[in-house]
Every structure is written in C-alpha cells, then in structure tokens.
Amino acid sequence: MMLLNDFYQITDRDSQAFRIRLNPTHEIYRAHFPGQPITPGVCQIQLVTELLSLLLDAEATLTDIKNVKYLSVIRPEETPQLTVRFTKFVCEENICRTVAVLEEDGCVFSKMSLTCHVVRRHTDL
C-alpha cells in the first residue's frame, strides 16, 4: 500500500533528504491511537522505502531491516512536518543498503538501517 499523497506528502527534497508533511486526519491515526494519534513504526518504514524509490528513481522493495530505533514518538498534530534524511548508501547491482533518519528541529524520532531489492525503471521503452 502506497502512503505517498495520502498519509504524507512531499513538500521539498534535495539530493539526500525529503521534507514531508503528515496528514493528521488520515484514518490510520483514528486507530493508532484515538484521541492521541502517533505515527506507527510500520508506516515510518514504509514511507522511508517509498522515498528511497523516488531517490533512486527505481522500484525499491524492502528485503531486510537490520536495525530500527524509535527514539521519540511522532505525534502528527504536534510535528506535522519531518525531514527524512538518507545518511548512508551502499548500492551494488540490484541491492541497496541505506540508513535513514526521521528528524525535525534537532529531534531525532527514528533511525533505521534497511536493505532493499532495487529494480531500475526503464525510461527508454
């Protein structure tokens, strides 16, 4: 399930980072948790995978999670904007290993080390 343009939107990007805006009215937040919504860890991993696909201009499929640290709760009403920064890339053939950090105003919310299978898009078809 793609979360882009529904759960979050991209507001800016550079070569290794994206600025995103969370949608605090998304139905996920009604269940997680009613009256005190927080951004689920699985959604954080999914949006990082989606942003990695955009960064690489390729289809990235998550194959392994080496390490995920949730350091602070992301409350969409208090912190609707985040920076997702890719701090490390090792891409060989069709495998990409990366470290991503979700942060805002000096607060690191989560860090994750992911491995993805990458399929390059064919733009010359």
Side-chain angles (χ1 to χ4, degrees), residues 44-54 56 58-66 86 88-100 112-120:
Q44 293 177 48
I45 292 168
Q46 176 64 28
L47 73 85
V48 166
T49 304
E50 291 177 15
L51 294 174
L52 179 62
S53 289
L54 291 172
L56 298 173
E59 204 58 46
T61 303
L62 182 65
T63 58
D64 192 23
I65 302 171
K66 290 287 184 197
F86 292 90
K88 180 181 177 184
F89 285 102
V90 177
C91 295
E92 300 168 345
E93 296 187 26
N94 61 351
I95 300 296
C96 186
R97 291 173 185 81
T98 189
V99 174
M112 55 192 77
S113 299
L114 309 176
T115 302
C116 291
H117 178 263
V118 177
V119 176
R120 300 283 172 206

Side-chain angles (χ1 to χ4, degrees), residues 53-114:
S53 289
L54 291 172
L55 195 64
L56 298 173
D57 191 28
E59 204 58 46
T61 303
L62 182 65
T63 58
D64 192 23
I65 302 171
K66 290 287 184 197
N67 194 359
V68 178
K69 293 181 183 177
Y70 299 107
L71 304 168
S72 191
V73 174
I74 302 172
R75 299 183 192 282
E77 293 174 349
E78 294 172 11
T79 311
Q81 292 197 110
L82 294 167
T83 297
V84 179
R85 187 172 318 285
F86 292 90
T87 62
K88 180 181 177 184
F89 285 102
V90 177
C91 295
E92 300 168 345
E93 296 187 26
N94 61 351
I95 300 296
C96 186
R97 291 173 185 81
T98 189
V99 174
V101 177
L102 282 75
E103 60 190 359
E104 187 62 22
D105 292 331
C107 179
V108 175
F109 292 97
S110 60
K111 290 181 178 183
M112 55 192 77
S113 299
L114 309 176

